């Protein structure tokens, strides 16, 4: 994760890239779900530009999302440039590894495009996930609100006993079919995907394990999993961080994947039913004094400061550069008329996913989080009002309104 004190030492299980190319509707639409933590700024552009060129489409039509596992890369080419300048090359990520991953994904994508299968039907289904997700928000016995239920807080009796709180309990599955044959299933659930992390063992964690279990159920159906908007949702209530929890959480997610599949409603899909929409989203940069360029440069250059602070400063500078050059985020919706996919940036809180579903009424709306990740946490206005804060927040406290407005515009369009 770049800033974790322990670098990768072993590979518990490999990180994978899964996705699809949907062609025949204007230019191709590509979805790519990576078992990485976050992709930001120039690195996000590199991935999208390279895939768009190879698929013959526009970068905005590449829906790139990280699943957000924490024993996995965080990439930001601008941040790594800043680190290179102060002798910290390779500190955030390995550029050559990143470039090689892009090449390998493009090769796989081209192979899949050469063996494309006609899609005649779209399926959509949903099911509740039991005993996985819980809100980070906790109200102490004295009435104080905090957001301290992290991924493996379940060892703490109070955090274990406290209600799940405000989550979206539904796993949503969208599937593509060739008549009676299912081709691919795309699953989304809103929770941080970690059972335990930070000791240097690379892993796709319980969400990767659930996906692999589902692949074994029927080897003919491609399985893609994405994380929903889950900045404020973790497995904390149910997970004490012991290794035994990883397969248990995976089993619970896998059970919901099967249930959502069994609940699938199939509809004939025609090109006229599919539309792609994109609203450019500009979020304000964190205006706290320590996020000024001067202060960030000081931190970056100060060899006496902890490595973590200097890496975070480089990431901040890269995002500040982006803000100053006026590059918006693509807030994207793929609308299949009977179901929708919405790609949101960074660690958008689950409230945005709930809003997207509300704005879509009865049309099942799958929100995907962790698209362009420079913003870090994007709290809702309520969470800002309740003083949510964290050093993984790059947006100003006025960021909720522009995201909400952009979502309304995106989902009101027909
Ligand atoms: Zn996170």
């Amino acid at each position: 994760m770049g800033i974790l004190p322990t670098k990768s030492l072993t590979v518990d299980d490999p990180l994978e890239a899964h996705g699809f190319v949907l062609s025949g509707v204007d230019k191709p639409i590509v979805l790519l779900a990576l078992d990485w933590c976050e992709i930001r700024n120039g690195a996000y552009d590199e991935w999208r530009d390279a895939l768009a060129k190879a698929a013959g489409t526009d970068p905005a039509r590449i829906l790139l999302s990280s699943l957000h596992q924490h024993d996995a890369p965080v990439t930001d080419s601008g941040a790594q440039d800043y680190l290179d300048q102060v002798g910290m090359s390779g500190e955030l990520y390995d550029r050559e590894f990143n470039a090689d991953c892009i090449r390998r994904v493009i090769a796989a994508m081209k192979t899949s495009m050469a063996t494309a299968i006609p899609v005649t039907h779209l399926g959509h289904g949903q099911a509740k996930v039991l005993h996985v997700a819980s809100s980070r928000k906790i109200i102490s016995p004295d009435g104080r609100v905090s957001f301290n239920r992290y991924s493996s807080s379940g060892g703490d009796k109070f955090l274990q006993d406290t209600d799940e709180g405000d989550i979206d309990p539904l796993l949503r599955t969208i599937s593509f079919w060739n008549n009676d044959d299912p081709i691919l299933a795309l699953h989304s659930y809103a929770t941080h995907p970690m059972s335990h992390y930070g000791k240097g063992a690379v892993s796709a964690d319980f969400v990767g394990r659930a996906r692999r279990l589902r692949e074994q159920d029927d080897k003919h159906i491609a399985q893609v999993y994405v994380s929903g908007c889950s900045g404020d949702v973790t497995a904390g209530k149910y997970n004490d961080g012991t290794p035994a929890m990883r397969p248990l959480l995976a089993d619970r997610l896998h059970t919901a994947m099967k249930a959502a599949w069994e609940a699938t409603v199939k509809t004939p899909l025609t090109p006229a039913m599919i539309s792609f929409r994109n609203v450019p989203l500009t979020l304000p940069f964190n205006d706290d004094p320590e996020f000024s360029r001067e202060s960030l440069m000081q931190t970056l250059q100060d060899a006496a400061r902890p490595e973590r602070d200097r890496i975070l400063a480089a990431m901040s500078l890269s995002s500040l550069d982006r803000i100053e050059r006026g590059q918006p985020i693509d807030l994207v919706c793929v609308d299949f008329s009977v179901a929708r996919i919405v790609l949101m940036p960074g660690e958008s809180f689950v409230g945005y996913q709930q809003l997207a579903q509300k704005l879509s009424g009865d049309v099942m709306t799958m929100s995907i989080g962790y698209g362009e990740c420079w913003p870090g946490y994007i709290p809702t206005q309520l969470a800002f009002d309740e003083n949510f804060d964290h050093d993984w927040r790059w947006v100003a406290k006025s960021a909720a309104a522009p995201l909400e407005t952009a979502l309304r515009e995106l989902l009101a369009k027909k």
Side-chain angles (χ1 to χ4, degrees):
M1 194 187 162
I3 60 162
L4 294 176
T6 308
K7 305 295 184 206
S8 57
L9 300 170
T10 55
V11 177
D12 267 5
D13 57 274
L15 307 180
E16 298 174 2
H18 292 259
F20 60 82
V21 180
L22 192 63
S23 50
V25 186
D26 194 1
K27 292 177 182 171
I29 295 166
V30 180
L31 183 137
L32 176 62
L34 267 184
D35 286 336
W36 282 15
C37 185
E38 295 192 355
I39 308 174
R40 296 169 166 239
N41 294 318
Y44 197 77
D45 296 339
E46 270 170 44
W47 273 93
R48 288 200 318 172
D49 292 350
L51 265 69
K53 195 169 166 231
T57 190
D58 304 327
R61 295 169 86 90
I62 309 291
L63 280 68
L64 170 61
S65 169
S66 304
L67 271 64
H68 199 59
Q69 296 97 336
H70 280 27
D71 283 317
V74 170
T75 63
D76 182 327
S77 53
Q80 190 54 58
D81 288 343
Y82 277 106
L83 291 165
D84 289 350
Q85 290 168 23
V86 294
M88 296 174 75
S89 69
E91 247 341 297
L92 182 61
Y93 74 105
D94 178 341
R95 284 183 205 275
E96 187 38 49
F97 172 71
N98 181 64
D100 186 47
C101 288
I102 294 175
R103 282 192 291 271
R104 285 153 57 194
V105 166
I106 286 177
M109 187 180 75
K110 284 186 168 166
T111 303
S112 82
M113 289 174 82
T115 53
I117 303 168
V119 174
T120 60
H121 292 73
L122 185 92
H124 69 282
Q126 54 189 29
K128 269 191 184 174
V129 180
L130 298 178
H131 303 148
V132 174
S134 58
S135 175
R136 281 176 55 166
K137 178 174 154 182
I138 290 296
I139 303 172
S140 308
D142 63 3
R144 204 168 35 85
V145 173
S146 69
F147 292 83
N148 295 336
R149 184 156 60 183
Y150 291 96
S151 286
S152 53
S153 291
D156 177 295
K157 182 89 175 79
F158 176 71
L159 297 177
Q160 185 189 97
D161 289 347
T162 299
D163 290 350
E164 286 176 356
D166 193 19
I167 62 165
D168 183 339
L170 295 174
L171 177 129
R172 293 171 175 82
T173 300
I174 287 176
S175 48
F176 298 120
W177 295 67
N178 177 271
N179 296 305
D180 292 334
D181 298 328
I183 305 164
L184 179 144
L186 169 68
H187 313 275
S188 175
Y189 185 57
T191 184
H192 263 70
M194 299 90 72
S195 52
H196 59 85
Y197 69 94
K199 300 203 171 76
V202 172
S203 174
D205 218 309
F206 74 87
V207 294
R209 189 181 170 104
R211 182 186 61 214
R212 288 169 191 141
L213 287 171
R214 196 69 191 117
E215 283 172 340
Q216 283 161 24
D217 293 337
D218 185 337
K219 295 201 167 81
H220 300 291
I221 311 173
Q223 302 290 337
V224 186
Y225 179 85
V226 288
S227 294
C229 299
S230 44
D232 55 342
V233 181
T234 70
K237 175 177 169 63
Y238 299 105
N239 176 40
D240 61 7
T242 54
M245 285 310 298
R246 184 172 285 171
L248 282 180
L249 293 167
D251 284 349
R252 293 170 192 170
L253 197 63
H254 175 235
T255 298
M257 286 173 171
K258 284 193 291 189
W261 186 254
E262 277 152 26
T264 291
V265 176
K266 253 175 84 181
T267 315
L269 187 68
T270 60
M273 291 166 69
I274 307 172
S275 61
F276 174 90
R277 299 193 289 273
N278 177 20
V279 171
L281 168 68
T282 300
L283 294 175
F285 192 66
N286 194 327
D287 49 9
D288 293 350
E290 63 268 32
F291 283 82
S292 70
R293 183 174 290 277
E294 196 189 3
S295 170
L296 292 168
M297 282 305 285
Q298 256 173 25
T299 304
L300 174 73
Q301 287 164 349
D302 186 351
R305 293 287 293 264
E307 209 172 64
R308 180 183 197 279
D309 294 0
R310 300 176 76 195
I311 296 171
L312 286 171
M315 288 164 68
S316 305
L317 286 160
S318 173
S319 298
L320 186 56
D321 290 345
R322 177 206 184 95
I323 297 286
E324 288 177 359
R325 56 171 192 267
Q327 184 184 354
I329 291 166
D330 291 311
L331 192 69
V332 162
C333 173
V334 183
D335 195 336
F336 297 103
S337 299
V338 290
R340 290 170 160 179
I341 296 173
V342 178
L343 176 65
M344 295 207 224
E347 302 207 48
S348 294
F349 277 26
V350 72
Y352 294 105
Q353 166 165 331
Q354 292 164 336
L355 176 63
Q357 181 59 71
K358 196 174 144 203
L359 292 169
S360 300
D362 293 339
V363 179
M364 190 187 91
T365 298
M366 172 187 285
S367 289
I368 305 176
Y370 312 98
E372 166 59 63
C373 277
W374 79 256
Y377 289 112
I378 312 179
T380 54
Q381 190 56 52
L382 175 66
F384 275 125
D385 294 344
E386 289 171 335
N387 294 316
F388 173 87
D389 208 1
H390 198 283
D391 60 6
W392 203 258
R393 171 178 68 86
W394 280 267
V395 293
K397 291 182 177 174
S398 54
L403 177 50
E404 232 184 278
T405 305
L407 261 182
R408 286 178 194 282
E409 190 189 338
L410 183 77
L411 295 173
K413 280 187 189 172
K414 282 277 179 319

